[in-house]
Amino acid sequence: MKFSNPANLFLLAISASQVATARPSKTYTEMYRPQFHFSPAKNWMNDPNGLVYDDGTYHLYFQYNPGGTTWGAMSWGHASSRDLTHWTEHPVALQARGFPDNITEMFFSGTVVIDEHNTSGFGRRGKTPWIAMYTSYYPIEQVLPSGKHIRKDQQAQSIAYSLDKGMTWTTYDAENPVIAEPPARYQDQVLEFRDPSVFWHDATHRWIAVVSLAKLHKILIYTSHDLKHWDLASEFGPANAVGGVWECPSIFPLSLDGSSDVKWVLMLGLNPGGPPGTVGSGTQYIVGNFDGTTFTADTDSIHDGGAPEGSVIFEDFEGEKTFAERGWTATGDLTNASPAKGTLAGQNPVTGFLGEQLLNTFLNGDATTGTLSSTPFEISHKYINFLVGGGSNTNETAIRLKVDGRTVHTSAGSNSEGLTWQSWDVTAVEGKEGVIEISDNATGGWGHINVDQISFSNMRATNNVANWLDWGPDFYAALGFNGLPRDQRTVIAWMNNWQYGGVIPTDPWRSAMTIPRHLALKTIDGKAALVQEPAGKWKALTRGGRVFTFRRVDGGIRELGRLGKTLQIELTFARDKSSTFGIAVAANRDYTSETRVGYDFSTQEVFIDRTRSGNVSFDNTFASVYRAPLSVGADGTVSLRVFVDWSSVEVFGGEGEATITSQIFPEKDAVYGRLFSTGGSTNDVKLRVKEVDSAWR
Ligand code: FRU
């Protein structure tokens, strides 16, 4: 080690003191310490890496900073488990080169495969090599032992091997990085090229690696015979959610509905731009096919922003006709007017409309006023869907449905030029005659309305742009285990979010993993969708089990008393008069602090409300409510499974088709619980509460 540079000395001093203060906890009993989720004894952790199952043992590697509780000096930490619930942490598997004072290479995310047939040639004396493929991140320009010239901040794909079942690793310095750069046409992306996930493709007898061009929202698919030489086979993307960078992509097969029909799933992280209502990181998936070289998405897994399939379009404002000529009764400034071709003079860009034209009442700026009334039509479907933007005051700018001269629904924009879908549930007036009226009687700021694509459907239009694997804020960089049979796909995700990950109030560690989950592919509403099931030996960890049954819970609150801090809850109930029903957990004695997990019958969504969950002050987006769509079951009941740990809540709705994962930082005595039934009573409530033992003792 050289100490000639005072800057290095200073850095060393900082890292040394961080190491000293971040003392491992033997007991795992610090405030907020997860009791049945993996967290490192000390220091910062992010993405799960190299998940691999071998001979009864699950290995979990993870992005780890050996020198502190914030991101830095990225290395691969290591833990293993025989039951996916009890974990043993091992020494760091791949430590940042030059750590702590002179780092020349960090080990970013990647995966591990077991090279049974020694295709790599790294095997010795009958020992099966394990290969890790990861992203090398080089903070400084350098020439490597392989002779390759590396730019400052370059990201490239490298390999390492282990001959002792993943405990110690040797980097392949003779040739690393094995994929030094993206293809020539993406040369400008050398700093945003990362997160290889590797697997053996039986049908073509080759290794496949999927790598992300993060900023371009593309994945590149490479093939190899020996894990050392890689050929580019194809690319995929952009598709669906692209609100942030694409990271940690992987593809894997699953049978559909347990049949012999096998589909492939692309799963990837998006940061920021996660699920609606969240800020920061999220995980999306796309269902499709993979033939050994190319991933092709199923058309119904792609969200194009259009009306639901099979919609009857009532008015799309396309074509060269005035409003009057297309059958609308127009008054005021709209009398001789026509639809607009997008943005009008003096207006900020209008976005989100379909085709070339829309109704835009910014004709003479906000001063324009007038009304449009449609020809009467029969209300033929359950929903009327439309895109709307512009002013938000329904007294000034509005779109309404009138039946027998009476207004039955009214909507407006949200003081934004972006059009988004809104829908009216019109089942109550189905079969009747309706008229749509669009009016603008405002002349001040936001005195205009934008409307497009008025259509009839039995499905609600959604503004959702993706298939979300989890609808909560704390589920990122999900990865599946290599080495398990196809239909035992088991994933673990980082239970945190880049939005606030570095400031969550835990010490001396930061971040935990989600509980492992089995994935299956099921046809839901005519479409292949992922469903999740908690994986692991839960029985061994749970104790007792209190059962509460109520034929009816009246509107208001039903106290449950002391429940505990680590819980596994099963809750089923049926709709009566309530608008929402659920359970508050991790509450203090006077319920000034609690986390609500429940169901909203009016929107058919399961939700977690952490607005009053305890310490929410470290980030101003943290105190929020998260929602996932979930239909009432065929038998008229809703069922939720909830896992509560010292700093997290995970809810699995229905058969696992809707999950929400959320961190919470409750008060010290947060052991109480109660049921809530808002707006009336709820029927047939069955509740089973088990306490979960610590997996660390
Ligand atoms: C995702 C990520 C990866 C990268 C790693 C670095 O959370 O940004 O893209 O490999 O973290 O720690």
Side-chain angles (χ1 to χ4, degrees):
M1 213 178 286
K2 281 191 289 172
F3 290 112
S4 51
N5 181 342
N8 282 350
L9 248 184
F10 177 66
L11 278 176
L12 178 68
I14 291 183
S15 355
S17 74
Q18 278 171 337
V19 173
T21 52
R23 207 158 283 128
S25 142
K26 290 261 158 37
T27 53
Y28 288 82
T29 52
E30 308 96 323
M31 189 165 189
Y32 307 135
R33 173 68 88 175
Q35 298 298 295
F36 58 92
H37 289 81
F38 177 75
S39 62
K42 59 175 186 173
N43 293 330
W44 167 267
M45 171 175 81
N46 56 288
D47 316 353
N49 294 150
L51 300 185
V52 66
Y53 174 80
D54 171 65
D55 190 24
T57 302
Y58 298 86
H59 289 265
L60 160 66
Y61 300 88
F62 47 87
Q63 287 290 282
Y64 184 63
N65 179 359
T69 52
T70 52
W71 188 92
M74 293 325 291
S75 304
W76 278 32
H78 183 197
S80 67
S81 170
R82 294 185 71 82
D83 59 6
L84 290 172
T85 49
H86 296 83
W87 294 95
T88 306
E89 194 172 342
H90 302 296
V92 169
L94 287 163
Q95 179 158 289
R97 211 181 290 269
F99 174 82
D101 57 327
N102 200 9
I103 294 177
T104 58
E105 180 187 3
M106 297 191 196
F107 298 89
F108 275 14
S109 287
T111 51
V112 167
V113 288
I114 297 176
D115 182 14
E116 298 295 353
H117 303 294
N118 196 18
T119 61
S120 62
F122 288 126
R124 295 271 180 281
R125 294 183 296 277
K127 286 188 180 149
T128 303
W130 291 23
I131 312 294
M133 188 169 188
Y134 53 89
T135 297
S136 295
Y137 163 72
Y138 305 96
I140 52 167
E141 184 180 356
Q142 58 195 285
V143 176
L144 296 173
S146 61
K148 294 179 184 169
H149 184 194
I150 296 296
R151 282 170 53 179
K152 174 175 163 40
D153 292 333
Q154 185 166 338
Q155 298 180 351
Q157 320 320 319
S158 298
I159 58 175
Y161 64 92
S162 168
L163 295 177
D164 58 1
K165 291 180 171 281
M167 298 310 291
T168 59
W169 293 84
T170 308
T171 52
Y172 182 39
D173 293 344
E175 290 297 336
N176 274 341
V178 292
I179 307 178
E181 291 178 353
R185 60 185 179 284
Y186 301 126
Q187 268 308 302
D188 57 346
Q189 300 299 313
V190 283
L191 312 187
E192 297 288 347
F193 177 47
R194 58 183 177 271
D195 305 342
S197 90
V198 186
F199 63 96
W200 176 252
H201 188 251
D202 234 0
T204 55
H205 258 77
R206 288 192 303 207
W207 298 102
I208 310 285
V210 180
V211 192
S212 169
L213 285 174
K215 286 233 160 105
L216 298 185
H217 311 118
K218 277 182 190 293
I219 60 159
L220 298 179
I221 298 179
Y222 290 85
T223 62
S224 173
H225 290 286
D226 60 5
L227 294 156
K228 295 170 168 166
H229 302 92
W230 292 92
D231 298 310
L232 180 64
S234 69
E235 56 178 72
F236 175 84
N240 291 356
V242 292
V245 287
W246 276 17
E247 297 183 318
C248 304
S250 58
I251 64 172
F252 50 86
L254 279 178
S255 60
L256 180 61
D257 300 316
S259 73
S260 56
D261 185 6
V262 173
K263 292 253 160 214
W264 284 75
V265 180
L266 162 64
M267 178 172 79
L268 53 96
L270 181 74
N271 177 61
T278 66
V279 177
S281 322
T283 300
Q284 63 171 327
Y285 68 93
I286 297 173
V287 180
N289 283 301
F290 178 66
D291 60 6
T293 48
T294 309
F295 177 82
T296 329
D298 286 356
T299 48
D300 63 1
S301 204
I302 296 294
H303 297 257
D304 60 4
E309 249 178 55
S311 292
V312 175
I313 308 290
F314 178 67
E315 180 63 86
D316 60 7
F317 299 111
E318 298 299 318
E320 297 292 316
K321 279 184 180 165
T322 62
F323 293 119
E325 282 163 1
R326 55 184 83 222
W328 293 76
T329 306
T331 69
D333 301 328
L334 301 176
T335 307
N336 292 314
S338 297
K341 294 198 188 319
T343 311
L344 293 167
Q347 192 176 28
N348 285 322
V350 175
T351 56
F353 61 99
L354 294 172
E356 311 278 304
Q357 302 190 145
L358 73 154
L359 158 68
N360 182 342
T361 69
F362 197 74
L363 294 171
N364 322 311
D366 279 325
T368 317
T369 58
T371 300
L372 293 176
S373 306
S374 75
T375 45
F377 58 90
E378 188 195 321
I379 299 170
S380 53
H381 291 70
K382 287 189 180 142
Y383 296 98
I384 298 181
N385 299 312
F386 49 89
L387 288 162
V388 61
S392 67
N393 184 340
T394 49
N395 294 320
E396 301 188 338
T397 53
I399 171 168
R400 358 186 130 74
L401 175 66
K402 290 191 157 178
V403 175
D404 300 330
R406 216 167 36 88
T407 300
V408 293
H409 287 284
T410 310
S411 299
S414 54
N415 286 358
S416 152
E417 298 294 4
L419 282 76
T420 55
W421 286 106
Q422 291 199 25
S423 36
W424 296 325
D425 181 343
V426 291
T427 39
V429 287
E430 225 177 311
K432 297 204 171 178
E433 196 176 83
V435 166
I436 288 176
E437 189 182 277
I438 302 168
S439 64
D440 174 354
N441 55 36
T443 54
W446 287 113
H448 65 277
I449 182 166
N450 307 328
V451 177
D452 199 9
Q453 216 71 10
I454 302 169
S455 45
F456 308 146
S457 171
N458 287 329
M459 297 208 300
R460 238 181 229 285
T462 70
N463 292 301
N464 188 30
V465 292
N467 314 300
W468 299 106
L469 187 52
D470 188 284
W471 294 76
D474 295 304
F475 187 94
Y476 195 60
L479 183 67
F481 280 91
N482 275 324
L484 287 173
R486 183 186 67 211
D487 286 320
Q488 286 178 30
R489 192 80 194 168
T490 305
V491 301
I492 292 179
W494 181 46
M495 194 158 57
N496 206 346
N497 186 322
W498 285 115
Q499 167 69 22
Y500 45 69
V503 293
I504 57 170
T506 60
D507 185 64
W509 80 101
R510 232 192 220 117
S511 293
M513 295 299 179
T514 64
I515 54 176
R517 303 166 185 202
H518 279 303
L519 295 185
L521 204 53
K522 278 200 181 164
T523 306
I524 297 175
D525 291 335
K527 203 176 130 173
L530 286 179
V531 299
Q532 298 174 51
E533 176 77 24
K537 298 241 160 59
W538 292 100
K539 280 225 173 74
L541 273 187
T542 51
R543 240 173 324 122
R546 290 162 68 192
V547 179
F548 305 77
T549 49
F550 307 100
R551 215 189 52 73
R552 180 187 152 104
V553 171
D554 290 331
I557 293 294
R558 173 80 61 131
E559 288 290 338
L560 298 169
R562 213 187 162 87
L563 296 179
K565 275 175 79 178
T566 47
L567 307 171
Q568 186 191 337
I569 296 170
E570 289 165 28
L571 178 61
T572 63
F573 47 91
R575 181 170 202 172
D576 186 25
K577 309 233 164 44
S578 61
S579 55
T580 64
F581 179 80
I583 184 166
V585 294
N588 58 2
R589 188 183 278 281
D590 60 7
Y591 294 94
T592 48
S593 156
E594 63 180 17
T595 298
R596 291 185 161 216
V597 184
Y599 189 73
D600 185 332
F601 287 102
S602 61
T603 56
Q604 304 229 358
E605 289 169 320
V606 52
F607 65 86
I608 292 182
D609 177 347
R610 68 175 181 192
T611 52
R612 293 190 298 113
S613 56
N615 184 350
V616 295
S617 63
F618 53 88
D619 174 80
N620 62 16
T621 69
F622 190 84
S624 297
V625 184
Y626 306 99
R627 299 167 164 274
L630 176 69
S631 307
V632 175
D635 61 354
T637 65
V638 174
S639 54
L640 305 178
R641 266 171 307 166
V642 189
F643 289 83
V644 183
D645 203 337
W646 286 10
S647 51
S648 63
V649 176
E650 286 155 287
V651 59
F652 294 74
E655 294 173 58
E657 66 267 38
T659 70
I660 306 178
T661 302
S662 168
Q663 293 185 90
I664 52 168
F665 301 99
E667 308 269 299
K668 275 214 177 59
D669 57 344
V671 294
Y672 296 92
R674 58 183 185 176
L675 297 173
F676 57 90
S677 187
T678 314
S681 51
T682 304
N683 287 340
D684 300 327
V685 175
K686 292 193 192 73
L687 170 67
R688 177 192 291 271
V689 182
K690 289 183 177 172
E691 281 197 72
V692 185
D693 285 331
S694 170
W696 299 112
R697 285 183 288 279

